[in-house]
Amino acid sequence: MTKWDLILAGGGLANGLIALRLRQLRPELNVLLLESGSRPGGNHTWSFHQHDLPPARHAWLDPLVAHRWDGYDVRFPQLRRTLPGGYLSVTAERFADAIEQALGEHLLTQRDIVGVTPQHVHLADGTVFSAGAVIDGRGWLPDAHLTVGWQAFLGQQWRLAAPHGLTRPILMDATVDQQQGYRFVYTLPLSADTLLIEDTHYIDSAALDSHETRTRIADYAAAQGWSLQTLEREEQGSLPITLAGRPDAFWRQRAGQPCSGLRAALFHPTTGYSLPLAARLADHIAGLPSLTHDALFTAIQRFATGQWRRQRFFRLLNRMLFLAGQPSRRWQVMQRFYRLDDKLIARFYAGDPTFFDMARVLTGKPPVPVGEALRAVLKHTPRLRAF
């Protein structure tokens, strides 16, 4: 039986980046990646901003990047704006290619995982893998100690009958019907005649009606003058948007199990973007002196708890977005935000706003009723603490 130093349960973004970074920096380690699907990464597109990562992190992630653009657009009922700065996307295909090439036989796919402990992975066929440590990266797990809203989406990649004319992404087009929640259409121009069009909703439940959403995408494309010809791919999902929580209780419930990605609540609490924190965690783990399960759990818990403290301001804003004002008027919060300085917006996306950035976001005429905004801010905040 092979003696593994580390087993990564689940071949999604976070565990895939951990495996890749360990292969680059610590090739002497015997690392195994187990994935239930036919390839790691599933059916996803991960995007991020140039300023979300330092240059050294960009350097090792660069082979995964399939598309990049200079700047992006946002559209609101009373605002249209082009913002500067690079915007990049990693496709599932490029991600899978890189992981497969790096790991070779240390990647096992189509393995149905039914149980994970800090040192063992149990498969549906009865196979048990053992290691010095196991990191559980199998995606979001609902937790009573986290209060969340949802960013639910359905995206379709279309080849068009004629060029679309876009030169950069449209990150948010909130001029569309709001459907009783904050709704926008997100569009990536992947080639001159290929678009990823994603219908996105910030809503209180994780579910979207797939049939209605596909119809809305078709209607949006028609309104833009795009003639849809061939559907190449479709992806659907729901990203948690954190409103409040108890990180101490959250990690106690993990009972010593190292975890990563969404399962460790490591994502941007307002945008749902997960790649920057996944890459940061991969670098952090690769630099640890010990990868025993106890050492990994402690290190990941401290890393995630530190991020939680840094994200307090974002959770406050999320409560204003989800809990204050009419759901169909939530777009006003985002429209006001996108009138701010572009460098402030870049720091916000990077999860690193300054004190003055936070003050600037909160000053001025609020886009929601003051009383409702205060109730939203104080909700889930015993003793006035914005958990």
Side-chain angles (χ1 to χ4, degrees), residues 1 8 11 40 47 60 82 100 104 106 119 148 165 197 211 240 260 265 272 276 288 315 328 335 339 354 369:
M1 179 180 292
L8 299 159
S47 297
W60 69 264
T82 298
E100 289 166 354
H106 286 215
Q119 291 186 284
V148 301
I197 308 172
H211 175 72
S260 66
L288 293 175
R315 293 191 296 275
S328 61
Q335 177 178 266
R339 293 186 187 277
T354 67

Side-chain angles (χ1 to χ4, degrees), residues 340-358:
L340 300 175
D341 177 73
D342 60 84
K343 293 182 176 61
L344 181 156
I345 294 171
R347 290 190 292 270
F348 181 92
Y349 270 113
D352 195 26
T354 67
F355 173 81
F356 294 104
D357 290 342
M358 292 185 278

Side-chain angles (χ1 to χ4, degrees), residues 168-332:
R168 54 187 171 264
I170 306 171
L171 256 61
M172 291 185 181
D173 186 346
T175 62
V176 296
D177 178 33
Q178 292 298 282
Q179 299 286 320
Q180 293 304 305
Y182 178 48
R183 174 188 171 224
F184 60 89
V185 178
Y186 169 89
T187 305
L188 297 182
L190 305 179
S191 72
D193 62 353
T194 306
L195 292 173
L196 174 63
I197 308 172
E198 187 175 284
D199 194 53
T200 303
H201 300 244
Y202 277 64
I203 53 179
D204 301 322
S205 64
L208 278 183
D209 185 299
S210 299
H211 175 72
E212 290 184 3
T213 306
R214 294 183 186 108
T215 299
R216 286 194 291 266
I217 289 175
D219 291 343
Y220 180 80
Q224 305 304 309
W226 302 329
S227 179
L228 303 179
Q229 182 171 305
T230 304
L231 178 62
E232 298 183 336
R233 189 174 65 85
E234 180 177 285
E235 60 180 285
Q236 185 171 5
S238 298
L239 302 177
I241 302 298
T242 315
L243 304 181
R246 298 277 183 180
D248 52 347
F250 174 89
W251 283 101
R252 276 199 305 272
Q253 189 157 303
R254 294 296 175 270
Q257 176 63 61
C259 50
S260 66
L262 296 186
R263 189 151 295 215
L266 286 171
F267 50 88
H268 193 294
T270 301
T271 68
Y273 284 26
S274 56
L275 188 145
L277 277 176
R280 188 181 299 179
L281 179 65
D283 270 333
H284 184 64
I285 288 174
L288 293 175
S290 172
L291 294 183
T292 65
H293 64 91
D294 288 334
L296 270 174
F297 178 79
T298 299
I300 295 172
Q301 179 186 19
R302 288 176 178 170
F303 178 90
T305 302
Q307 295 304 315
W308 181 269
R309 288 194 294 267
R310 293 180 64 191
Q311 293 171 348
R312 178 176 179 174
F313 175 68
F314 297 93
R315 293 191 296 275
L316 181 151
L317 295 181
N318 292 347
R319 292 197 292 278
M320 291 183 65
L321 181 63
F322 276 88
L323 304 176
Q326 297 284 337
S328 61
R329 307 291 289 179
R330 288 173 180 169
W331 60 268
Q332 292 178 324

